[in-house]
Amino acid sequence: MKWQNDTPEYLAAGWLIIGSMPNGDFVVINFGRDDGAVGYVSHEEIWDAPHHVRDDLETIYVRVCDSLGKFIDGLTREEHPYDYFEAKELSA
């Protein structure tokens, strides 16, 4: 799988990939700048232009909530967006 080849770069950015959403966006725990927050990484940016984003992976990450527990709870209550672009729009 493509993402397995890039895993060291994601880990270096402080991300632990824990899954993906139905549209393909990665769900990551951000241990870098966000201290364990959960967010989405745009699958369009990863697949379509993987080389330009490696200089600044934060440009394709959007924070969803503070922790994995809050993320799961929010999804079951339908309080969180289900994709990167919706989350980015809500965070603006």
Side-chain angles (χ1 to χ4, degrees), residues 51-91:
H51 296 290
H52 89 275
V53 299
R54 291 185 176 133
D55 294 334
D56 187 8
L57 287 171
E58 290 293 321
T59 63
I60 58 168
Y61 166 82
V62 63
R63 180 187 177 114
V64 175
C65 62
D66 294 336
S67 70
L68 182 57
K70 288 181 181 180
F71 178 72
I72 292 169
D73 188 50
L75 285 180
T76 58
R77 296 173 190 252
E78 297 185 5
E79 296 172 348
H80 293 317
Y82 277 78
D83 69 34
Y84 169 84
F85 289 108
E86 184 182 355
K88 190 159 182 120
E89 184 177 301
L90 291 172
S91 71

mmCIF file of all heavy atoms in Angstrom, residues 51-91:
data_model
loop_
_atom_site.group_PDB
_atom_site.id
_atom_site.type_symbol
_atom_site.label_atom_id
_atom_site.label_comp_id
_atom_site.label_asym_id
_atom_site.label_seq_id
_atom_site.Cartn_x
_atom_site.Cartn_y
_atom_site.Cartn_z
ATOM 1 N N HIS A 51 4.667 14.863 -3.297
ATOM 2 C CA HIS A 51 6.001 15.427 -3.099
ATOM 3 C C HIS A 51 5.970 16.861 -2.591
ATOM 4 O O HIS A 51 6.789 17.239 -1.773
ATOM 5 C CB HIS A 51 6.834 15.309 -4.369
ATOM 6 C CG HIS A 51 7.080 13.883 -4.731
ATOM 7 N ND1 HIS A 51 7.909 13.071 -3.996
ATOM 8 C CD2 HIS A 51 6.555 13.102 -5.692
ATOM 9 C CE1 HIS A 51 7.903 11.858 -4.504
ATOM 10 N NE2 HIS A 51 7.087 11.846 -5.531
ATOM 11 N N HIS A 52 5.032 17.670 -3.023
ATOM 12 C CA HIS A 52 5.019 19.051 -2.552
ATOM 13 C C HIS A 52 4.579 19.160 -1.104
ATOM 14 O O HIS A 52 4.984 20.064 -0.405
ATOM 15 C CB HIS A 52 4.154 19.946 -3.454
ATOM 16 C CG HIS A 52 2.721 20.022 -3.059
ATOM 17 N ND1 HIS A 52 1.801 19.098 -3.456
ATOM 18 C CD2 HIS A 52 2.066 20.913 -2.290
ATOM 19 C CE1 HIS A 52 0.625 19.419 -2.958
ATOM 20 N NE2 HIS A 52 0.751 20.510 -2.251
ATOM 21 N N VAL A 53 3.761 18.239 -0.625
ATOM 22 C CA VAL A 53 3.278 18.361 0.745
ATOM 23 C C VAL A 53 4.307 17.916 1.773
ATOM 24 O O VAL A 53 4.202 18.248 2.943
ATOM 25 C CB VAL A 53 1.962 17.593 0.960
ATOM 26 C CG1 VAL A 53 0.883 18.137 0.069
ATOM 27 C CG2 VAL A 53 2.138 16.109 0.773
ATOM 28 N N ARG A 54 5.295 17.184 1.349
ATOM 29 C CA ARG A 54 6.283 16.698 2.315
ATOM 30 C C ARG A 54 7.093 17.820 2.943
ATOM 31 O O ARG A 54 7.640 17.658 4.019
ATOM 32 C CB ARG A 54 7.196 15.682 1.646
ATOM 33 C CG ARG A 54 6.428 14.418 1.343
ATOM 34 C CD ARG A 54 7.310 13.339 0.792
ATOM 35 N NE ARG A 54 6.505 12.160 0.621
ATOM 36 C CZ ARG A 54 6.496 11.413 -0.455
ATOM 37 N NH1 ARG A 54 7.263 11.708 -1.470
ATOM 38 N NH2 ARG A 54 5.726 10.353 -0.531
ATOM 39 N N ASP A 55 7.134 18.962 2.287
ATOM 40 C CA ASP A 55 7.835 20.103 2.872
ATOM 41 C C ASP A 55 7.059 20.704 4.032
ATOM 42 O O ASP A 55 7.646 21.287 4.933
ATOM 43 C CB ASP A 55 8.075 21.181 1.807
ATOM 44 C CG ASP A 55 9.039 20.700 0.742
ATOM 45 O OD1 ASP A 55 9.870 19.820 1.046
ATOM 46 O OD2 ASP A 55 8.941 21.199 -0.388
ATOM 47 N N ASP A 56 5.745 20.597 3.997
ATOM 48 C CA ASP A 56 4.915 21.159 5.059
ATOM 49 C C ASP A 56 3.645 20.330 5.196
ATOM 50 O O ASP A 56 2.578 20.719 4.717
ATOM 51 C CB ASP A 56 4.577 22.621 4.764
ATOM 52 C CG ASP A 56 3.860 23.284 5.927
ATOM 53 O OD1 ASP A 56 3.754 22.664 7.009
ATOM 54 O OD2 ASP A 56 3.398 24.412 5.753
ATOM 55 N N LEU A 57 3.741 19.192 5.858
ATOM 56 C CA LEU A 57 2.601 18.296 6.000
ATOM 57 C C LEU A 57 1.445 18.935 6.775
ATOM 58 O O LEU A 57 0.299 18.547 6.611
ATOM 59 C CB LEU A 57 3.032 16.991 6.662
ATOM 60 C CG LEU A 57 3.862 16.060 5.787
ATOM 61 C CD1 LEU A 57 4.426 14.900 6.606
ATOM 62 C CD2 LEU A 57 3.046 15.522 4.634
ATOM 63 N N GLU A 58 1.740 19.936 7.603
ATOM 64 C CA GLU A 58 0.684 20.594 8.371
ATOM 65 C C GLU A 58 -0.355 21.260 7.467
ATOM 66 O O GLU A 58 -1.478 21.497 7.893
ATOM 67 C CB GLU A 58 1.272 21.618 9.336
ATOM 68 C CG GLU A 58 2.044 20.999 10.487
ATOM 69 C CD GLU A 58 1.157 20.199 11.449
ATOM 70 O OE1 GLU A 58 0.027 20.637 11.719
ATOM 71 O OE2 GLU A 58 1.612 19.145 11.911
ATOM 72 N N THR A 59 -0.007 21.561 6.220
ATOM 73 C CA THR A 59 -0.951 22.222 5.322
ATOM 74 C C THR A 59 -2.094 21.298 4.913
ATOM 75 O O THR A 59 -3.096 21.772 4.381
ATOM 76 C CB THR A 59 -0.263 22.750 4.054
ATOM 77 O OG1 THR A 59 0.282 21.647 3.324
ATOM 78 C CG2 THR A 59 0.818 23.754 4.395
ATOM 79 N N ILE A 60 -1.954 20.004 5.126
ATOM 80 C CA ILE A 60 -3.017 19.070 4.749
ATOM 81 C C ILE A 60 -3.627 18.390 5.966
ATOM 82 O O ILE A 60 -4.287 17.371 5.848
ATOM 83 C CB ILE A 60 -2.508 18.027 3.739
ATOM 84 C CG1 ILE A 60 -1.334 17.244 4.317
ATOM 85 C CG2 ILE A 60 -2.146 18.685 2.423
ATOM 86 C CD1 ILE A 60 -0.965 16.019 3.522
ATOM 87 N N TYR A 61 -3.411 18.960 7.141
ATOM 88 C CA TYR A 61 -3.953 18.442 8.398
ATOM 89 C C TYR A 61 -4.940 19.450 8.968
ATOM 90 O O TYR A 61 -4.710 20.655 8.920
ATOM 91 C CB TYR A 61 -2.813 18.224 9.405
ATOM 92 C CG TYR A 61 -3.271 18.023 10.829
ATOM 93 C CD1 TYR A 61 -3.712 16.786 11.270
ATOM 94 C CD2 TYR A 61 -3.261 19.083 11.739
ATOM 95 C CE1 TYR A 61 -4.136 16.602 12.583
ATOM 96 C CE2 TYR A 61 -3.675 18.907 13.052
ATOM 97 C CZ TYR A 61 -4.111 17.669 13.465
ATOM 98 O OH TYR A 61 -4.528 17.487 14.756
ATOM 99 N N VAL A 62 -6.041 18.946 9.509
ATOM 100 C CA VAL A 62 -6.981 19.799 10.234
ATOM 101 C C VAL A 62 -7.377 19.093 11.534
ATOM 102 O O VAL A 62 -7.688 17.905 11.537
ATOM 103 C CB VAL A 62 -8.226 20.172 9.396
ATOM 104 C CG1 VAL A 62 -9.045 18.958 9.023
ATOM 105 C CG2 VAL A 62 -9.074 21.200 10.107
ATOM 106 N N ARG A 63 -7.284 19.826 12.606
ATOM 107 C CA ARG A 63 -7.633 19.303 13.928
ATOM 108 C C ARG A 63 -9.143 19.139 14.035
ATOM 109 O O ARG A 63 -9.898 20.024 13.636
ATOM 110 C CB ARG A 63 -7.130 20.287 14.984
ATOM 111 C CG ARG A 63 -7.400 19.893 16.394
ATOM 112 C CD ARG A 63 -6.998 21.033 17.320
ATOM 113 N NE ARG A 63 -7.314 20.724 18.680
ATOM 114 C CZ ARG A 63 -6.415 20.551 19.636
ATOM 115 N NH1 ARG A 63 -5.145 20.703 19.362
ATOM 116 N NH2 ARG A 63 -6.783 20.250 20.853
ATOM 117 N N VAL A 64 -9.572 18.005 14.607
ATOM 118 C CA VAL A 64 -10.998 17.751 14.806
ATOM 119 C C VAL A 64 -11.363 17.885 16.281
ATOM 120 O O VAL A 64 -12.358 18.509 16.618
ATOM 121 C CB VAL A 64 -11.398 16.360 14.267
ATOM 122 C CG1 VAL A 64 -12.845 16.040 14.573
ATOM 123 C CG2 VAL A 64 -11.144 16.278 12.766
ATOM 124 N N CYS A 65 -10.547 17.311 17.176
ATOM 125 C CA CYS A 65 -10.840 17.395 18.610
ATOM 126 C C CYS A 65 -9.585 17.081 19.429
ATOM 127 O O CYS A 65 -8.549 16.736 18.881
ATOM 128 C CB CYS A 65 -11.991 16.486 18.990
ATOM 129 S SG CYS A 65 -11.664 14.753 18.701
ATOM 130 N N ASP A 66 -9.717 17.170 20.737
ATOM 131 C CA ASP A 66 -8.572 17.079 21.646
ATOM 132 C C ASP A 66 -8.023 15.683 21.895
ATOM 133 O O ASP A 66 -6.873 15.545 22.288
ATOM 134 C CB ASP A 66 -8.939 17.674 23.014
ATOM 135 C CG ASP A 66 -9.204 19.158 22.939
ATOM 136 O OD1 ASP A 66 -8.701 19.813 22.008
ATOM 137 O OD2 ASP A 66 -9.922 19.660 23.818
ATOM 138 N N SER A 67 -8.839 14.643 21.731
ATOM 139 C CA SER A 67 -8.375 13.306 22.100
ATOM 140 C C SER A 67 -9.117 12.229 21.310
ATOM 141 O O SER A 67 -10.172 12.487 20.720
ATOM 142 C CB SER A 67 -8.593 13.063 23.591
ATOM 143 O OG SER A 67 -9.988 12.951 23.868
ATOM 144 N N LEU A 68 -8.589 11.018 21.352
ATOM 145 C CA LEU A 68 -9.215 9.892 20.677
ATOM 146 C C LEU A 68 -10.587 9.598 21.278
ATOM 147 O O LEU A 68 -11.547 9.339 20.557
ATOM 148 C CB LEU A 68 -8.314 8.655 20.738
ATOM 149 C CG LEU A 68 -8.824 7.406 20.041
ATOM 150 C CD1 LEU A 68 -9.125 7.674 18.566
ATOM 151 C CD2 LEU A 68 -7.819 6.274 20.192
ATOM 152 N N GLY A 69 -10.695 9.654 22.582
ATOM 153 C CA GLY A 69 -11.981 9.412 23.241
ATOM 154 C C GLY A 69 -13.038 10.407 22.791
ATOM 155 O O GLY A 69 -14.179 10.038 22.490
ATOM 156 N N LYS A 70 -12.668 11.693 22.723
ATOM 157 C CA LYS A 70 -13.614 12.719 22.273
ATOM 158 C C LYS A 70 -13.966 12.531 20.797
ATOM 159 O O LYS A 70 -15.086 12.808 20.383
ATOM 160 C CB LYS A 70 -13.032 14.109 22.502
ATOM 161 C CG LYS A 70 -13.003 14.501 23.961
ATOM 162 C CD LYS A 70 -12.447 15.901 24.138
ATOM 163 C CE LYS A 70 -12.396 16.254 25.618
ATOM 164 N NZ LYS A 70 -11.852 17.598 25.832
ATOM 165 N N PHE A 71 -13.004 12.059 20.023
ATOM 166 C CA PHE A 71 -13.253 11.812 18.606
ATOM 167 C C PHE A 71 -14.301 10.719 18.435
ATOM 168 O O PHE A 71 -15.284 10.894 17.715
ATOM 169 C CB PHE A 71 -11.945 11.432 17.897
ATOM 170 C CG PHE A 71 -12.117 11.109 16.449
ATOM 171 C CD1 PHE A 71 -12.381 12.118 15.530
ATOM 172 C CD2 PHE A 71 -12.007 9.808 15.994
ATOM 173 C CE1 PHE A 71 -12.538 11.829 14.174
ATOM 174 C CE2 PHE A 71 -12.155 9.507 14.654
ATOM 175 C CZ PHE A 71 -12.423 10.521 13.746
ATOM 176 N N ILE A 72 -14.105 9.600 19.089
ATOM 177 C CA ILE A 72 -15.042 8.480 18.967
ATOM 178 C C ILE A 72 -16.423 8.883 19.485
ATOM 179 O O ILE A 72 -17.443 8.623 18.843
ATOM 180 C CB ILE A 72 -14.501 7.234 19.703
ATOM 181 C CG1 ILE A 72 -13.261 6.720 18.971
ATOM 182 C CG2 ILE A 72 -15.566 6.150 19.795
ATOM 183 C CD1 ILE A 72 -12.479 5.676 19.724
ATOM 184 N N ASP A 73 -16.466 9.542 20.634
ATOM 185 C CA ASP A 73 -17.727 9.989 21.200
ATOM 186 C C ASP A 73 -18.432 10.959 20.248
ATOM 187 O O ASP A 73 -19.638 10.849 20.009
ATOM 188 C CB ASP A 73 -17.486 10.647 22.557
ATOM 189 C CG ASP A 73 -18.771 10.973 23.285
ATOM 190 O OD1 ASP A 73 -19.634 10.079 23.403
ATOM 191 O OD2 ASP A 73 -18.911 12.134 23.728
ATOM 192 N N GLY A 74 -17.678 11.896 19.694
ATOM 193 C CA GLY A 74 -18.258 12.866 18.771
ATOM 194 C C GLY A 74 -18.786 12.247 17.496
ATOM 195 O O GLY A 74 -19.802 12.684 16.957
ATOM 196 N N LEU A 75 -18.114 11.221 16.988
ATOM 197 C CA LEU A 75 -18.604 10.545 15.789
ATOM 198 C C LEU A 75 -19.893 9.787 16.080
ATOM 199 O O LEU A 75 -20.833 9.826 15.276
ATOM 200 C CB LEU A 75 -17.556 9.581 15.223
ATOM 201 C CG LEU A 75 -16.381 10.196 14.491
ATOM 202 C CD1 LEU A 75 -15.441 9.104 13.994
ATOM 203 C CD2 LEU A 75 -16.814 11.075 13.341
ATOM 204 N N THR A 76 -19.951 9.113 17.208
ATOM 205 C CA THR A 76 -21.162 8.354 17.527
ATOM 206 C C THR A 76 -22.352 9.277 17.787
ATOM 207 O O THR A 76 -23.491 8.901 17.534
ATOM 208 C CB THR A 76 -20.962 7.417 18.734
ATOM 209 O OG1 THR A 76 -20.558 8.179 19.863
ATOM 210 C CG2 THR A 76 -19.924 6.354 18.438
ATOM 211 N N ARG A 77 -22.087 10.476 18.252
ATOM 212 C CA ARG A 77 -23.160 11.458 18.477
ATOM 213 C C ARG A 77 -23.395 12.349 17.251
ATOM 214 O O ARG A 77 -24.207 13.265 17.308
ATOM 215 C CB ARG A 77 -22.814 12.343 19.672
ATOM 216 C CG ARG A 77 -22.739 11.612 20.978
ATOM 217 C CD ARG A 77 -22.225 12.562 22.055
ATOM 218 N NE ARG A 77 -21.921 11.872 23.263
ATOM 219 C CZ ARG A 77 -22.650 11.963 24.372
ATOM 220 N NH1 ARG A 77 -23.716 12.731 24.397
ATOM 221 N NH2 ARG A 77 -22.302 11.292 25.445
ATOM 222 N N GLU A 78 -22.646 12.079 16.188
ATOM 223 C CA GLU A 78 -22.713 12.856 14.948
ATOM 224 C C GLU A 78 -22.445 14.341 15.188
ATOM 225 O O GLU A 78 -23.084 15.214 14.611
ATOM 226 C CB GLU A 78 -24.048 12.624 14.245
ATOM 227 C CG GLU A 78 -24.230 11.181 13.827
ATOM 228 C CD GLU A 78 -25.482 10.935 13.011
ATOM 229 O OE1 GLU A 78 -26.195 11.892 12.670
ATOM 230 O OE2 GLU A 78 -25.728 9.758 12.714
ATOM 231 N N GLU A 79 -21.447 14.623 16.028
ATOM 232 C CA GLU A 79 -21.048 15.990 16.341
ATOM 233 C C GLU A 79 -19.798 16.433 15.586
ATOM 234 O O GLU A 79 -19.459 17.613 15.610
ATOM 235 C CB GLU A 79 -20.801 16.130 17.844
ATOM 236 C CG GLU A 79 -22.037 15.902 18.688
ATOM 237 C CD GLU A 79 -21.739 15.848 20.178
ATOM 238 O OE1 GLU A 79 -20.546 15.766 20.560
ATOM 239 O OE2 GLU A 79 -22.697 15.861 20.956
ATOM 240 N N HIS A 80 -19.109 15.502 14.941
ATOM 241 C CA HIS A 80 -17.890 15.829 14.208
ATOM 242 C C HIS A 80 -18.114 15.661 12.714
ATOM 243 O O HIS A 80 -18.896 14.813 12.281
ATOM 244 C CB HIS A 80 -16.731 14.922 14.621
ATOM 245 C CG HIS A 80 -16.269 15.107 16.016
ATOM 246 N ND1 HIS A 80 -16.091 16.325 16.606
ATOM 247 C CD2 HIS A 80 -15.945 14.195 16.962
ATOM 248 C CE1 HIS A 80 -15.679 16.167 17.847
ATOM 249 N NE2 HIS A 80 -15.590 14.886 18.080
ATOM 250 N N PRO A 81 -17.402 16.444 11.924
ATOM 251 C CA PRO A 81 -17.477 16.261 10.473
ATOM 252 C C PRO A 81 -16.858 14.922 10.081
ATOM 253 O O PRO A 81 -16.063 14.356 10.829
ATOM 254 C CB PRO A 81 -16.651 17.425 9.929
ATOM 255 C CG PRO A 81 -15.746 17.810 11.042
ATOM 256 C CD PRO A 81 -16.473 17.503 12.310
ATOM 257 N N TYR A 82 -17.220 14.461 8.906
ATOM 258 C CA TYR A 82 -16.741 13.164 8.444
ATOM 259 C C TYR A 82 -15.669 13.250 7.372
ATOM 260 O O TYR A 82 -15.278 12.239 6.822
ATOM 261 C CB TYR A 82 -17.912 12.309 7.939
ATOM 262 C CG TYR A 82 -18.626 11.595 9.053
ATOM 263 C CD1 TYR A 82 -19.523 12.274 9.862
ATOM 264 C CD2 TYR A 82 -18.372 10.267 9.321
ATOM 265 C CE1 TYR A 82 -20.175 11.635 10.901
ATOM 266 C CE2 TYR A 82 -19.008 9.609 10.355
ATOM 267 C CZ TYR A 82 -19.913 10.302 11.146
ATOM 268 O OH TYR A 82 -20.540 9.666 12.169
ATOM 269 N N ASP A 83 -15.189 14.463 7.055
ATOM 270 C CA ASP A 83 -14.089 14.549 6.102
ATOM 271 C C ASP A 83 -13.261 15.813 6.326
ATOM 272 O O ASP A 83 -13.663 16.725 7.056
ATOM 273 C CB ASP A 83 -14.559 14.438 4.654
ATOM 274 C CG ASP A 83 -15.366 15.621 4.159
ATOM 275 O OD1 ASP A 83 -15.099 16.772 4.565
ATOM 276 O OD2 ASP A 83 -16.265 15.402 3.339
ATOM 277 N N TYR A 84 -12.102 15.825 5.694
ATOM 278 C CA TYR A 84 -11.122 16.904 5.848
ATOM 279 C C TYR A 84 -11.702 18.264 5.474
ATOM 280 O O TYR A 84 -11.570 19.230 6.214
ATOM 281 C CB TYR A 84 -9.903 16.577 4.986
ATOM 282 C CG TYR A 84 -8.933 17.718 4.838
ATOM 283 C CD1 TYR A 84 -7.963 17.960 5.800
ATOM 284 C CD2 TYR A 84 -8.987 18.555 3.722
ATOM 285 C CE1 TYR A 84 -7.074 19.025 5.670
ATOM 286 C CE2 TYR A 84 -8.095 19.601 3.587
ATOM 287 C CZ TYR A 84 -7.144 19.833 4.560
ATOM 288 O OH TYR A 84 -6.274 20.872 4.423
ATOM 289 N N PHE A 85 -12.344 18.365 4.308
ATOM 290 C CA PHE A 85 -12.805 19.658 3.826
ATOM 291 C C PHE A 85 -13.923 20.233 4.692
ATOM 292 O O PHE A 85 -13.967 21.430 4.951
ATOM 293 C CB PHE A 85 -13.202 19.594 2.351
ATOM 294 C CG PHE A 85 -12.008 19.431 1.455
ATOM 295 C CD1 PHE A 85 -11.764 18.247 0.811
ATOM 296 C CD2 PHE A 85 -11.099 20.486 1.286
ATOM 297 C CE1 PHE A 85 -10.649 18.096 -0.007
ATOM 298 C CE2 PHE A 85 -9.988 20.331 0.483
ATOM 299 C CZ PHE A 85 -9.768 19.136 -0.168
ATOM 300 N N GLU A 86 -14.820 19.387 5.159
ATOM 301 C CA GLU A 86 -15.870 19.841 6.064
ATOM 302 C C GLU A 86 -15.266 20.314 7.386
ATOM 303 O O GLU A 86 -15.637 21.359 7.924
ATOM 304 C CB GLU A 86 -16.889 18.742 6.317
ATOM 305 C CG GLU A 86 -18.058 19.170 7.168
ATOM 306 C CD GLU A 86 -19.040 18.050 7.460
ATOM 307 O OE1 GLU A 86 -18.878 16.923 6.932
ATOM 308 O OE2 GLU A 86 -19.973 18.310 8.235
ATOM 309 N N ALA A 87 -14.296 19.559 7.898
ATOM 310 C CA ALA A 87 -13.627 19.957 9.145
ATOM 311 C C ALA A 87 -12.871 21.263 8.971
ATOM 312 O O ALA A 87 -12.885 22.135 9.855
ATOM 313 C CB ALA A 87 -12.677 18.858 9.609
ATOM 314 N N LYS A 88 -12.216 21.434 7.832
ATOM 315 C CA LYS A 88 -11.477 22.663 7.563
ATOM 316 C C LYS A 88 -12.423 23.855 7.482
ATOM 317 O O LYS A 88 -12.136 24.930 8.018
ATOM 318 C CB LYS A 88 -10.674 22.520 6.274
ATOM 319 C CG LYS A 88 -9.708 23.662 6.049
ATOM 320 C CD LYS A 88 -8.629 23.246 5.091
ATOM 321 C CE LYS A 88 -7.674 24.386 4.936
ATOM 322 N NZ LYS A 88 -6.349 24.061 5.334
ATOM 323 N N GLU A 89 -13.556 23.680 6.833
ATOM 324 C CA GLU A 89 -14.537 24.751 6.728
ATOM 325 C C GLU A 89 -15.081 25.138 8.101
ATOM 326 O O GLU A 89 -15.230 26.316 8.411
ATOM 327 C CB GLU A 89 -15.688 24.284 5.821
ATOM 328 C CG GLU A 89 -16.726 25.349 5.573
ATOM 329 C CD GLU A 89 -17.798 24.843 4.622
ATOM 330 O OE1 GLU A 89 -17.467 24.472 3.483
ATOM 331 O OE2 GLU A 89 -18.977 24.821 5.035
ATOM 332 N N LEU A 90 -15.347 24.145 8.949
ATOM 333 C CA LEU A 90 -15.867 24.415 10.285
ATOM 334 C C LEU A 90 -14.823 25.086 11.196
ATOM 335 O O LEU A 90 -15.180 25.813 12.121
ATOM 336 C CB LEU A 90 -16.368 23.129 10.938
ATOM 337 C CG LEU A 90 -17.634 22.530 10.327
ATOM 338 C CD1 LEU A 90 -17.909 21.163 10.918
ATOM 339 C CD2 LEU A 90 -18.826 23.469 10.521
ATOM 340 N N SER A 91 -13.549 24.817 10.932
ATOM 341 C CA SER A 91 -12.496 25.376 11.795
ATOM 342 C C SER A 91 -12.108 26.789 11.400
ATOM 343 O O SER A 91 -11.380 27.462 12.123
ATOM 344 C CB SER A 91 -11.252 24.484 11.778
ATOM 345 O OG SER A 91 -10.590 24.569 10.537
#
